[in-house]
Amino acid sequence: MNDKKIVFSGIQPSGNLHIGNYLGAIQRWVDNQDAYDSIFCIVDLHAITVPQDAEELRTQTRKLAGLLLACGIDPDRSVLFIQSHVTAHAELAWILNCVTPVNWLERMTQYKQKAAKQKSVSTGLLDYPVLQAADILLYDADLVPVGEDQRQHVELTRDIARRFNHLHSETFVLPEALIAKAGARIMGLDNPTSKMSKSTDTRYHGIGLLDDPDDIRATVRRAVTDSGRDIVFSADPEKAGVNNLLTIYQVFTGQSSQEIEDHFAGKGYGDLKTEVAEAAIEGLRPIQQRYNKLAEDPATIDKLLEAGAEEARRRSTPTLKRVKEHVGFIIPDS
Ligand code: ATP
Ligand code: LTN
């Protein structure tokens, strides 16, 4: 009997992965693969809630799969698959739509931010968190490891599950967000008041997982700091830039806050930037080496993803059947 807690998380193939995705989410998915029964999903259905070029989406989806494997997601220990390969996600999302009040969705911070950037807002963008709830609830997940920005969506998932359980019979497990203490919200280097994001493409905004060392040095050198000189962790908005650099250093080196502050005592922002860049370059080097090797063999990646989808179908089918029974659908024999 397998009594490990079930972990589910997803990531969009919506652009190049950055260290925020890695430090806020993926690194912990990798580290916890033995402790939990883990399922990871490349959420292409979510990606199309904003316009995507078809060829580019295909390329990004394969690239993301390669990067997740290179980061250490191990298909022998975790399930890794593409969302659109398992039709139960879209089917459950429809059923959950019918118990989710529209005003719950209109309140979502991510919706408001993303809608403000679009000329025309799709129904899918509003509905995004319902699809996310379907992802999580289909696998009876206990824990959802995400960055801080996703806390509200996991709370909404609980609300939807609770409402469904109340309107129909007890059907869903209520999941909890699992959010790291350090690294849960890496900020943009060019603007430490907004989170580092795949879909922000200003030149010195983020550090991509595949960026070469010179690009990383150039971006970190231009990172916004402040006019002071103290290199300390701080919640003061004035020091958000320095705090962000220290956080990046911390998650790459694994040192304690005290050790880091002692290390930088008496040094200047120039030294801090140099050391942060080198820590990132060293941290990313093995991932980049593994990725370059994997990218030579896309057929193997496709095969792994197909096996992952097969397993995801096997595990989600009974949940969807349970939902349909509770809603009142006739379940066909075959
Ligand atoms: P987009 O800009 O396209 O919305 P994103 O960069 O926010 O993309 P997602 O695919 O939405 O990335 O998120 C994947 C995971 O990375 C989620 O768990 C999310 O919480 C986490 N994450 C994203 N950005 C950051 C960040 N800046 N700091 C920490 N974690 C983050
Ligand atoms: N919305 C998430 C991606 C996502 C997700 C999920 C995360 C889609 N489905 C299920 C956790 C669980 C984001 O990171 N922006």
Side-chain angles (χ1 to χ4, degrees), residues 4-26:
K4 284 183 185 171
K5 289 207 171 187
I6 299 174
V7 151
F8 184 97
S9 201
I11 184 157
Q12 302 185 74
S14 52
N16 291 323
L17 280 193
H18 53 74
I19 56 167
N21 302 129
Y22 179 63
L23 303 172
I26 302 166

Side-chain angles (χ1 to χ4, degrees), residues 8-12 21 29 41 43 46 83 110 114 128 131-133 135-136 144-147 149-150 153-154 195 198:
F8 184 97
S9 201
I11 184 157
Q12 302 185 74
N21 302 129
W29 301 356
C41 183
V43 294
H46 277 106
Q83 190 184 32
Q110 180 179 295
K114 290 201 171 178
Y128 180 115
L131 179 60
Q132 182 164 349
D135 298 341
I136 297 167
V144 185
V146 280
D149 63 308
Q150 293 299 311
H153 286 168
V154 180
K195 85 166 183 98
K198 281 194 235 108

Side-chain angles (χ1 to χ4, degrees), residues 50-297:
V50 296
Q52 302 287 343
D53 174 80
E55 269 323 308
E56 181 64 16
L57 180 60
R58 245 186 297 278
T59 305
Q60 288 294 352
T61 303
R62 289 218 169 83
K63 191 167 166 189
L64 177 55
L67 265 171
L68 291 173
L69 294 166
C71 286
I73 299 295
D74 173 3
D76 288 335
R77 289 183 291 160
S78 300
V79 182
L80 174 66
F81 70 104
I82 297 178
Q83 190 184 32
S84 65
H85 289 184
V86 181
T87 54
H89 291 245
E91 256 189 281
L92 180 59
W94 175 259
I95 297 173
L96 297 180
N97 275 334
C98 299
V99 302
T100 307
V102 176
N103 67 355
W104 287 9
L105 303 178
E106 287 166 339
R107 282 205 291 264
M108 292 293 111
T109 307
Q110 180 179 295
Y111 169 68
K112 288 191 266 186
Q113 284 171 349
K114 290 201 171 178
K117 290 191 203 156
Q118 303 296 319
K119 279 200 208 83
S120 153
V121 176
S122 71
T123 307
L125 190 62
L126 179 66
D127 204 26
Y128 180 115
V130 179
L131 179 60
Q132 182 164 349
D135 298 341
I136 297 167
L137 298 176
L138 262 182
Y139 299 92
D140 292 332
D142 301 293
L143 297 170
V144 185
V146 280
E148 181 62 46
D149 63 308
Q150 293 299 311
R151 186 190 292 279
Q152 196 183 36
H153 286 168
V154 180
E155 282 302 314
L156 183 81
T157 299
R158 289 173 66 87
D159 290 341
I160 294 173
R162 219 182 273 118
R163 189 170 162 91
F164 188 99
N165 287 348
H166 174 74
L167 291 173
H168 303 283
S169 31
E170 199 66 23
T171 308
F172 293 123
V173 171
L174 301 191
E176 271 174 47
L178 194 64
I179 295 173
K181 283 196 198 72
R185 195 169 164 80
I186 302 291
M187 309 308 279
L189 292 170
D190 58 350
N191 176 5
T193 61
S194 79
K195 85 166 183 98
M196 191 177 286
S197 159
K198 281 194 235 108
S199 43
T200 303
D201 53 6
T202 46
R203 175 78 174 83
Y204 299 112
H205 170 72
I207 299 178
L209 293 195
L210 296 176
D211 282 358
D212 65 41
D214 285 340
D215 279 341
I216 295 176
R217 289 188 191 104
T219 303
V220 177
R221 203 177 314 123
R222 283 172 183 76
V224 171
T225 50
D226 56 76
S227 56
R229 17 180 348 145
D230 291 339
I231 304 183
V232 288
F233 286 93
S234 162
D236 178 355
E238 273 287 298
K239 302 221 46 106
V242 167
N243 192 65
N244 193 38
L245 289 171
L246 286 170
T247 304
I248 293 171
Y249 186 82
Q250 178 166 41
V251 273
F252 273 118
T253 62
Q255 295 172 18
S256 71
S257 310
Q258 192 58 56
E259 279 173 314
I260 294 172
E261 289 183 355
D262 290 348
H263 174 74
F264 285 111
K267 295 189 179 168
Y269 287 173
D271 303 314
L272 171 66
K273 288 178 173 180
T274 306
E275 294 203 37
V276 168
E278 294 313 311
I281 290 166
E282 283 317 308
L284 296 180
R285 194 189 308 280
I287 296 174
Q288 297 185 349
Q289 282 167 348
R290 281 196 296 269
Y291 176 80
N292 291 336
K293 247 185 130 177
L294 282 161
E296 288 167 10
D297 188 8

